[in-house]
Structures are given as C-alpha cells and as structure tokens.
C-alpha cells in the first residue's frame, strides 16, 4: 500500500494531467495507468473558463484523488496564496508544493521551498514538496512537518531518468519513515522501475505519457514498470559483483 498522510492507495503511480492531445486520451490514459491520484494545476482550472469546468468534471468522474499543485510559482508568497486558493477550490488539504528558482531548468528554489512548506504545514496543509535530490533539503523539509517528500531524478520534462542514483538512495536510507515519491525527469518505464528498485514509495510523471506516440499504451507500460520495480525491491535483488560467479555448481561434476 502507498501511504500518503492519512490515506492509503493500491497504485504507486501518480499521473499529471497536462499536455494530453484530447480529453478522451487523457481519460483513457488515466484508466490504463491504474493510478488513483492525479495532479491538477490551479492555473489551468481557473483560467480554463467553461473548458476548465469540463476538465474538472472529467477528473471527478474517474473517481481519483486530486493533488493540486503550485506550478509556475516563483516566490513564497505566490506559492502560499496559490495553495490556499487550491484548497478552497478542490476541497483538499493536499498540495504539491513547487517554488521554482530557475526558469530554464525549473529547479526548485530550495530556500523558498522550505519556508513555504513551513507556512503551509502550520496552516494545516498536507504538503508534497517537489525538491532536488539533496539530503539536507529533505531533512529541512521533514523538520518543518512534511511527511511526504518528492525529489526529482532530473529536471521537469527532460526525460533523462535518474541522474544521481546515489543521491536518491541516500535520501531513502535516511528517511525510512517518510513516504518518498520520485517526481520529474522520468522519460521511460525503465526509469520508473529503477526508482522503485531503490525503495521509493511511488513515481509521479506527466510528460512521458502525455507526449508519447500512444499515451494510453505508455500509461499502461508505466503502470507495469512501477509494479515490477516494487516487486523487485521487495524480493531482494542481487548486488553487483566484480567477478563472474558460475550458476552451475562446481562440486559434483564429472571427472575424466
């Protein structure tokens, strides 16, 4: 089970809802992914007018939980204000907290992120902070009350996959009690499987599915990859070796 604050889920895949070719493909991709949680941008909902209302109705009809985000925010004040508006609109204390520090890499401003997380946690939010793979930042987010932390594996939309496996592994090892979700930079199902093999609790992605040649088939592939990676971690994988080890026993072989 995936435990996120006071809720439990069967699926360990979280899916974004932006950039899909059509509402129908979005709906089919969500179903194929078997996800139970989707992220939604407040800016898209409020700026979409009638179309935004139709989008929200579609999401509600699928019976999934909504994780609003503060995408596009660059300051503490902007992120906190957006989070409060999202709480009123979507009727949830959940917020995926993004405070961007660089417009090109979309790398989080970690100083503003920690401060915004502190303010929102004190205001009763259940914060899902999008952060880097830095152990100290994760520690500070935990210290201000975050029970879920979402480190990137590469910049948003880059599709590069895990760039610092050791960094991700270190965060996992230091916070066994927290729910950790790898967020951003995943481009292939194998990337998602790798994240789960590191012992992460889930994977959040968007572009890799939305921009695929067949988003629905790709969503299904990611669902299978996340499950495979989780099972591999639970089963216990072999550590890499520097020498070959024969699979056939040496003892008992015939002597001529």
């Amino acid at each position: 089970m995936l435990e996120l604050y006071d809720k439990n889920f069967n699926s360990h895949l979280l899916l974004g809802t932006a950039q899909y070719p059509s509402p129908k493909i979005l709906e089919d991709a969500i179903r194929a992914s078997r996800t139970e949680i989707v992220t939604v941008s407040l800016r898209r909902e409020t700026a979409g007018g009638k179309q935004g209302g139709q989008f929200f109705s579609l999401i509600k009809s699928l019976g999934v939980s909504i994780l609003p985000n503060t995408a596009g925010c660059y300051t503490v004040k902007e992120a906190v204000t957006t989070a409060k508006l999202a709480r009123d609109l979507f009727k949830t204390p959940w917020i995926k907290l993004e405070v961007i520090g660089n417009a090109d890499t979309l790398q989080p401003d970690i100083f503003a992120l920690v401060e915004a997380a502190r303010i929102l946690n004190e205001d009763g939010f259940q914060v899902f902070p999008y952060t880097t793979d830095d152990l100290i930042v994760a520690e500070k987010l935990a210290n201000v009350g975050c029970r879920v932390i979402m480190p990137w594996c590469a910049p948003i939309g880059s599709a590069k996959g895990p760039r610092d496996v050791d960094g991700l592994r270190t965060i996992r090892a230091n916070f066994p009690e927290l729910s950790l979700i790898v967020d951003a930079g995943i481009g292939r199902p194998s990337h998602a499987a790798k994240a789960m093999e590191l012992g992460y609790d889930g994977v959040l992605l968007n572009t890799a599915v939305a921009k695929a040649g067949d988003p629905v088939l790709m969503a299904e592939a990611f669902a299978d990859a996340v499950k495979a990676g989780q099972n591999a971690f639970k089963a216990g994988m072999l550590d890499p070796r520097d020498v070959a080890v024969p699979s056939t026993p040496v003892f008992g072989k015939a002597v001529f």
Side-chain angles (χ1 to χ4, degrees):
M1 297 290 289
L2 172 61
E3 181 179 347
L4 300 174
Y5 289 100
D6 56 346
K7 296 183 179 180
N8 293 313
F9 301 90
N10 292 311
S11 174
H12 293 253
L13 175 62
L14 292 72
L15 198 63
T17 55
Q19 306 182 70
Y20 286 83
S22 72
K24 175 61 175 172
I25 292 177
L26 169 60
E27 177 182 357
D28 291 345
I30 291 174
R31 295 187 188 280
S33 73
R34 305 191 292 275
T35 186
E36 298 169 82
I37 304 170
V38 298
T39 62
V40 175
S41 170
L42 174 70
R43 294 170 186 268
R44 175 176 179 175
E45 175 64 22
T46 55
K50 182 178 179 181
Q51 184 178 6
Q54 293 173 343
F55 167 78
F56 194 22
S57 296
L58 168 62
I59 297 300
K60 289 195 295 184
S61 71
L62 295 172
V64 293
S65 295
I66 294 176
L67 175 59
N69 65 44
T70 62
C73 293
Y74 284 80
T75 66
V76 172
K77 182 178 180 180
E78 188 178 14
V80 170
T81 300
T82 301
K84 291 180 178 180
L85 291 172
R87 180 170 59 182
D88 291 341
L89 179 61
F90 296 110
K91 310 303 180 186
T92 177
W94 281 13
I95 192 71
K96 179 188 173 187
L97 180 61
E98 299 181 26
V99 187
I100 302 303
N102 183 276
D104 293 325
T105 65
L106 300 181
Q107 180 168 332
D109 179 338
I110 57 175
F111 305 101
L113 178 69
V114 172
E115 176 62 12
R118 181 190 64 79
I119 293 170
L120 293 173
N121 276 305
E122 290 177 354
D123 194 29
F125 280 87
Q126 296 176 344
V127 182
F128 296 62
Y130 160 63
T131 183
T132 63
D133 51 16
D134 187 286
L135 174 63
I136 305 306
V137 179
E139 185 176 64
K140 291 185 180 299
L141 289 168
N143 288 341
V144 298
C146 295
R147 289 162 49 196
V148 177
I149 296 178
M150 306 176 72
W152 72 356
C153 68
I156 293 174
S158 67
K160 290 184 176 181
R163 297 192 306 176
D164 184 2
V165 172
D166 288 339
L168 291 173
R169 185 181 287 115
T170 298
I171 292 175
R172 175 72 284 178
N174 278 268
F175 300 102
E177 76 286 359
L178 298 184
S179 295
L180 301 180
I181 309 293
V182 170
D183 177 19
I186 290 177
R188 301 183 180 186
S190 58
H191 297 160
K194 179 64 177 179
M196 297 302 291
E197 289 174 359
L198 294 174
Y200 275 72
D201 299 289
V203 169
L204 193 159
L205 55 93
N206 186 166
T207 309
V209 171
K211 291 297 187 180
D214 185 337
V216 179
L217 185 59
M218 186 62 77
E220 183 178 359
F222 270 105
D224 293 339
V226 167
K227 186 63 176 178
Q230 181 190 24
N231 286 342
F233 177 76
K234 287 181 177 180
M237 296 169 289
L238 289 177
D239 292 325
R241 299 166 175 171
D242 293 328
V243 296
V245 178
S247 57
T248 302
V250 174
F251 295 104
K253 70 177 182 179
V255 178
F256 298 98

